[in-house]
Amino acid sequence: ALSMCQTIMSNVGLLIIRNSTQQPSTASVSEMVDSDVEFVGTSGGDSRGAIDGDLQEPIIPSDLMNELVAAAREIELELCERLDEKAEKWRVLEEAGGGTKMALDGTNKNAERNSVVMVDTTPEDEMKMPSKETAAKEEKDRRKRKEMNGSTETGINFRYHEVASRCIGRIDSRYRMDEYPFNDPRVISNPVLLPIIKHMLGGENGNAELVYAGLIFSFPGSQNQPWHQDGEPLFPEEDMLDVPSYAFNVFIPLDDVTDELGPTEFLPGTNLSERAEEVNEELMKWAMIESKWSAAGDHKASMRMVLGTEEDEWMSRNKVVAPLLRRGDAMMYDYRTCHRGTENLSQSETRTMLYLMYFRPWLKE
């Protein structure tokens, strides 16, 4: 099973490990099977496209998952409160109450705390900006990604040490990731996930280092992200040089991910250089013209003019997949695989995703 996982990841750049055999009843399952993206799940039931993993227990124990969800909700409320104090734009739908979740009893959990915990208690500013050197590196990386993907990170209007906007209505937070329950070994060294990750990062003698952990909050009304890759090819100066995987991102949804909440879309196979170059060339052409048409609100016309196809046709031709996940599932992808978060069409519910980034030990970013 480990060798099959490695084969799938090498060829497709995406792997899903189901917490149970119950699959979402949508066309996305069939589309993913047609695109050779495989599921790993428990035995029995509807196992179309699945590898029997014989999982007898949840990937993350239920009691721990409940603690993760509760802690994420506290963080969401706290961050939104602090961003309001900073007058940062993160809301999309004002009528949705800022897009924040409330406790199950309908009360704001922060009201129950003795005091508001600051995001970063430095004398000058509780939410600190990165150093000049860090900011310069991040700007350089942003420009590289822009050149590679032919798009801009639309809507990024703030970046602090613990939290940054990723597009309008979507924030990325690493706040409190060094605390329980997020640093629990059953999360960061998960006995189901880690052996697979290590194998895919070096075979029998593979090893992996957790370099990032965080939460992505996609608020009601959030926009589609630009298509992007999380990192550059290892040797960008070498055309068409494919090397084995050296970095993976793992998504663990803390909510069921429905079409309405906005699943992450992937372009399978873009972890491979030839496929990535082909797709990025089209996306770059599209993005250049799209920016000129966006003011007129004719998004589809831009793609038709540049690529001779409508967006739906382009996505079908490129076998775009948008996995619908249940809380506690795990989705792994090569960080070279092109993807984007999609818009949250809900009027009141935030989509919350825990992510874990693993590198080969020698890789530094």
Side-chain angles (χ1 to χ4, degrees):
L2 288 176
S3 297
M4 189 172 292
C5 287
Q6 189 168 28
T7 299
I8 294 167
M9 184 65 80
S10 298
N11 294 329
V12 181
L14 175 65
L15 179 71
I16 293 173
I17 302 176
R18 291 294 186 190
N19 221 7
S20 69
T21 55
Q22 186 178 11
Q23 307 288 353
S25 57
T26 71
S28 296
V29 174
S30 299
E31 290 167 5
M32 292 189 68
V33 172
D34 292 342
S35 299
D36 298 323
V37 179
E38 300 284 356
F39 299 107
V40 179
T42 55
S43 57
D46 180 5
S47 59
R48 291 175 300 162
I51 305 168
D52 272 343
D54 296 322
L55 302 179
Q56 302 301 317
E57 301 292 337
I59 297 171
I60 294 178
S62 299
D63 58 342
L64 179 57
M65 177 58 66
N66 290 336
E67 291 185 90
L68 289 168
V69 171
R73 290 186 177 183
E74 286 188 4
I75 291 171
E76 178 188 352
L77 289 166
E78 190 174 345
L79 288 175
C80 293
E81 181 178 278
R82 293 293 292 117
L83 290 170
D84 280 344
E85 292 176 11
K86 290 290 180 179
E88 297 289 6
K89 177 176 172 53
W90 61 271
R91 282 185 176 87
V92 182
L93 301 179
E94 295 291 343
E95 64 274 18
T100 61
K101 289 179 179 174
M102 305 304 287
L104 294 179
D105 60 0
T107 61
N108 186 323
K109 287 194 174 185
N110 274 347
E112 301 171 5
R113 301 166 76 96
N114 293 329
S115 61
V116 176
V117 178
M118 297 302 180
V119 177
D120 191 304
T121 53
T122 57
E124 299 83 4
D125 194 347
E126 292 84 5
M127 297 180 76
K128 65 182 181 181
M129 294 296 291
S131 66
K132 290 183 179 180
E133 293 77 10
T134 300
K137 181 181 183 300
E138 289 178 345
E139 175 63 18
K140 182 179 179 181
D141 292 343
R142 185 192 69 79
R143 290 179 179 179
K144 284 183 178 179
R145 288 195 297 271
K146 178 181 175 181
E147 292 171 0
M148 177 174 63
N149 298 316
S151 60
T152 59
E153 295 179 337
T154 306
I156 292 186
N157 57 357
F158 61 84
R159 188 191 303 273
Y160 295 98
H161 182 70
E162 302 90 350
V163 60
S165 56
R166 291 304 176 200
C167 70
I168 296 176
R170 190 186 313 270
I171 63 173
D172 182 345
S173 168
R174 296 180 189 169
Y175 174 45
R176 287 173 51 182
M177 289 300 105
D178 58 347
E179 299 177 10
Y180 182 86
F182 301 101
N183 66 353
D184 190 293
R186 294 171 294 174
V187 177
I188 61 177
S189 301
N190 184 272
V192 175
L193 303 179
L194 195 58
I196 299 173
I197 295 167
K198 286 184 175 181
H199 187 84
M200 292 191 294
L201 291 178
E204 293 181 1
N205 299 316
N207 206 347
E209 179 179 323
L210 177 68
V211 292
Y212 300 122
L215 294 166
I216 298 289
F217 298 105
S218 177
F219 299 113
S222 64
Q223 295 185 352
N224 288 331
Q225 279 186 297
W227 287 101
H228 64 281
Q229 294 162 298
D230 287 341
E232 291 185 329
L234 194 58
F235 303 105
E237 69 280 2
E238 297 291 337
D239 291 339
M240 302 304 168
L241 175 64
D242 286 319
V243 298
S245 299
Y246 45 88
F248 286 110
N249 209 346
V250 180
F251 280 0
I252 300 175
L254 302 188
D255 310 288
D256 288 351
V257 178
T258 63
D259 283 321
E260 183 182 40
L261 288 182
T264 303
E265 293 179 336
F266 291 87
L267 282 158
T270 48
N271 56 309
L272 303 175
S273 57
E274 183 174 0
R275 171 83 170 126
E277 184 177 52
E278 172 190 333
V279 167
N280 281 327
E281 184 176 343
E282 291 188 328
L283 290 174
M284 187 175 296
K285 291 179 181 178
W286 177 21
M288 290 174 63
I289 300 299
E290 183 185 27
S291 62
K292 298 179 181 179
W293 281 78
S294 59
D298 196 352
H299 173 73
K300 290 184 179 295
S302 64
M303 176 168 271
R304 183 173 64 249
M305 288 181 61
V306 178
L307 304 179
T309 183
E310 299 288 5
E311 182 176 2
D312 290 345
E313 295 171 354
W314 182 87
M315 293 177 70
S316 177
R317 173 164 58 85
N318 283 283
K319 296 186 176 180
V320 172
V321 295
L324 301 183
L325 306 174
R326 295 191 183 277
R327 189 177 90 164
D329 286 347
M331 179 167 62
M332 303 180 185
Y333 65 91
D334 189 307
Y335 94 151
R336 297 168 294 183
T337 303
C338 196
H339 62 284
R340 68 172 181 175
T342 60
E343 59 189 341
N344 183 346
L345 301 176
S346 167
Q347 294 294 307
S348 60
E349 189 173 353
T350 302
R351 191 208 73 175
T352 307
M353 188 77 73
L354 172 67
Y355 69 87
L356 307 166
M357 178 73 82
Y358 295 90
F359 284 3
R360 290 183 186 246
W362 47 260
L363 180 64
K364 305 299 178 184
E365 185 179 63

